[in-house]
Amino acid sequence: MASMSALDTVTVIGGGLAGSEAAWQLAIRGIPVRLMEMRPTVVSPAHHSDGLAELVCSNSFKSDDPATATGMLKRELEALGSLIIAAARAAAVPAGAALAVDRDGFSASITELIESHPLIELVREEATVVPDGDVVIASGPLTSANLERALSELVGDSRLAFFDAAAPIVAAESIDMKRAFRASRYDKGEGADYINCPMNREQYDAFLGAILDADRVILKEFEQKDLFQACQPIEEVARCGADALRYGGMKPVGLVDPATGERPWAVLQLRAENHAATAYNLVGCQTNLTFSEQRRVFSLVPGLENAEFLRYGVMHRNTFVDAPRLLAADLSLRSNPRIRIAGQLSGTEGYLEAAGGGLVAALGIVNARLGHQTLPIPEDTALGSLIAYATNPDTSRYQPMHVNLGIMPPMDSIRAKRARRAAIAERAAAAMLEYSRAHAEALHPALAAASEIVG
Ligand SMILES: Cc1cc2nc3c(=O)[nH]c(=O)nc-3n(C[C@H](O)[C@H](O)[C@H](O)COP(=O)(O)OP(=O)(O)OC[C@H]3O[C@@H](n4cnc5c(N)ncnc54)[C@H](O)[C@@H]3O)c2cc1C
């Protein structure tokens, strides 16, 4: 790489999972980095330490089974030479099929690697403006208020959200179509856009009773402010009265159940979440119920008895941009490519997803400086499908997403679930192998550094 001057320094804002990964990927390729982390000067409501890459909640990186989307993501990050996955492997604690870590050891090792890298200047300061030059903004779901203001000016108020209000998403193949039916209200729209789960009065009453009784996630104080103004969770609507749901989002008007020839008492509608229609969103069912209660309550709805949840509903404080409208596949702003947004702020969700975003943003800068075209991570991989989903301008009503099989290209020709998942994992591994071979030279420094970390 050509020699760099101070002007070539990249500013990375946020020393979390995405920012630490991005800073490291740039530095090991000879690019100087100014990494701005506001802690401990300014504290976040969820972080407890001043360490980099602090895990704010669980110490688990989820399943390590290669036939799961999270297992695929781990292998893909390894193939790309990720710092975060290497440090996680080195700090692993026994956790069955999951990869879990000693959180203090994990954060301490990353802090030490970053602090001791000669090309990284770690500045413990809050960023309140978006600086000049190449920038990776990775300030996370709890971005400071001052930077939120600067971001609003940069991307527009309407393109920045401050909380998740996500409804559950289920696998299409797990919906019982003998009980559910396809139709749009009054037959409007392009054909039968919705899957409808019809309820009679008894079924509706049972569902309502269950939702009123169900356990909710106790929100932290910082998450309660402003949360419910935007989008009422289904359990709050249910509390407004016995008919509130069936006069609201579950209204049966314009729908006739083909099994009875009559209008149902209430209907839960599901809308396709992706082009392949492998994943369906429970319309209007944003919820704060615990995950196990979501499984129990929604399984009372005819057609969803055995629904497989690809994502559970969540409601919490979360700053993120409207990625489908703002970001290109290399996570640069379409309106200003010198600025990249990575991690949870870019509208993905999850520790390793954040690391993956930081890595992609850094590779984009490296390629741009070398005059190389940045090839997107293949869509057949877990990471590539997540980025494709998040940056697809056709995605409307965007809510943050984590990796899952529902957003990966389907393999419908294989009917047996286990065999299909194994085939998807095999296809993902082959796609990543091809990608890493094509980028062998660019990936070499990261792979060499990662193998030293894992030891
Ligand atoms: C309460 C909570 C619990 C979560 N639990 C989980 C979980 O268990 N498992 C999971 O997979 N995901 C979880 N997530 C989601 C997500 O994966 C994590 O938030 C993850 O840490 C995101 O990585 P990130 O790098 O984008 O942001 P972070 O890891 O939050 O890093 C952002 C960094 O930017 C700093 N920063 C913010 N503003 C500024 C500024 N203006 N200037 C300088 N620095 C700034 C912050 O101090 C922070 O260090 C949780 C999120 C929240 C909010």
Side-chain angles (χ1 to χ4, degrees), residues 76-346:
E76 291 163 15
L77 289 176
E78 278 165 341
L80 294 169
S82 152
L83 162 71
I84 296 294
I85 190 71
R89 293 273 186 223
V93 295
L99 170 61
V101 299
D102 167 339
R103 69 174 74 233
D104 294 334
F106 168 75
S107 167
S109 74
I110 290 171
T111 307
E112 203 207 320
L113 283 164
I114 297 267
E115 278 180 340
S116 60
H117 198 290
L119 286 180
I120 302 178
E121 181 196 5
L122 176 58
V123 184
R124 297 285 188 170
E125 210 177 275
E126 178 193 11
T128 55
V129 294
V130 178
D132 292 337
D134 282 332
V135 182
V136 178
I137 309 177
S139 46
L142 305 170
T143 291
S144 75
N146 286 324
L147 187 60
E148 274 178 356
R149 270 191 287 281
L151 276 168
S152 281
E153 277 170 32
L154 182 71
V155 300
D157 279 349
S158 62
R159 298 280 176 240
L160 197 61
F162 303 100
F163 38 76
D164 277 352
I169 293 176
V170 298
E173 62 179 355
S174 69
I175 303 168
D176 182 355
M177 292 306 293
K178 289 202 244 2
R179 310 203 68 181
F181 63 96
R182 283 185 183 278
S184 295
R185 280 186 212 286
Y186 302 109
D187 292 329
K188 286 189 183 153
E190 286 180 21
D193 288 343
Y194 288 84
I195 290 180
N196 301 280
C197 297
M199 281 178 261
N200 61 27
R201 186 171 192 162
E202 205 177 40
Q203 290 161 333
Y204 176 79
D205 287 346
F207 174 73
L208 187 67
I211 213 163
L212 291 173
D213 274 353
D215 291 338
R216 289 180 281 174
V217 176
I218 299 167
L219 296 178
K220 301 203 175 72
E221 204 203 325
F222 72 89
E223 292 179 313
Q224 290 169 15
K225 223 172 23 139
D226 299 336
L227 188 64
F228 298 136
Q229 286 165 13
C231 220
Q232 286 271 323
I234 185 171
E235 59 273 17
E236 290 301 319
V237 179
R239 258 171 247 292
C240 297
D243 287 326
L245 287 175
R246 65 179 214 98
Y247 284 180
M250 292 184 151
K251 58 180 176 291
V253 295
L255 293 166
V256 173
D257 182 352
T260 61
E262 290 177 10
R263 183 160 100 178
W265 184 252
V267 171
L268 195 161
Q269 289 200 298
L270 294 96
R271 187 174 45 227
E273 189 59 31
N274 54 0
H275 279 309
T278 53
Y280 273 77
N281 186 306
L282 277 57
V283 179
C285 295
Q286 56 275 5
T287 178
N288 196 34
L289 299 184
T290 62
F291 292 175
S292 58
E293 289 289 66
Q294 290 184 39
R295 276 198 306 273
R296 180 176 73 82
V297 169
F298 290 112
S299 74
L300 296 174
V301 176
L304 300 184
E305 292 85 350
N306 297 307
E308 182 192 344
F309 287 76
L310 297 172
R311 183 189 73 187
Y312 288 99
V314 285
M315 301 200 71
H316 50 61
R317 159 94 204 265
N318 185 6
T319 305
F320 64 97
V321 299
D322 184 5
R325 259 128 314 265
L326 294 177
L327 300 182
D330 62 357
L331 301 180
S332 63
L333 278 181
R334 292 197 191 115
S335 60
N336 196 342
R338 74 172 178 87
I339 300 171
R340 288 170 161 79
I341 298 189
Q344 188 115 341
L345 185 64
S346 70

Side-chain angles (χ1 to χ4, degrees), residues 13-19 36-39 46-47 56-58 62 125-127 138-144 147 220 222 317 343-344 350-351 354:
I13 301 177
L17 292 148
M36 298 182 76
E37 169 51 57
M38 67 179 185
R39 289 175 293 122
H47 292 80
V56 283
C57 186
S58 166
K62 302 187 186 141
E125 210 177 275
E126 178 193 11
S139 46
L142 305 170
T143 291
S144 75
L147 187 60
K220 301 203 175 72
F222 72 89
R317 159 94 204 265
Q344 188 115 341
Y351 295 149

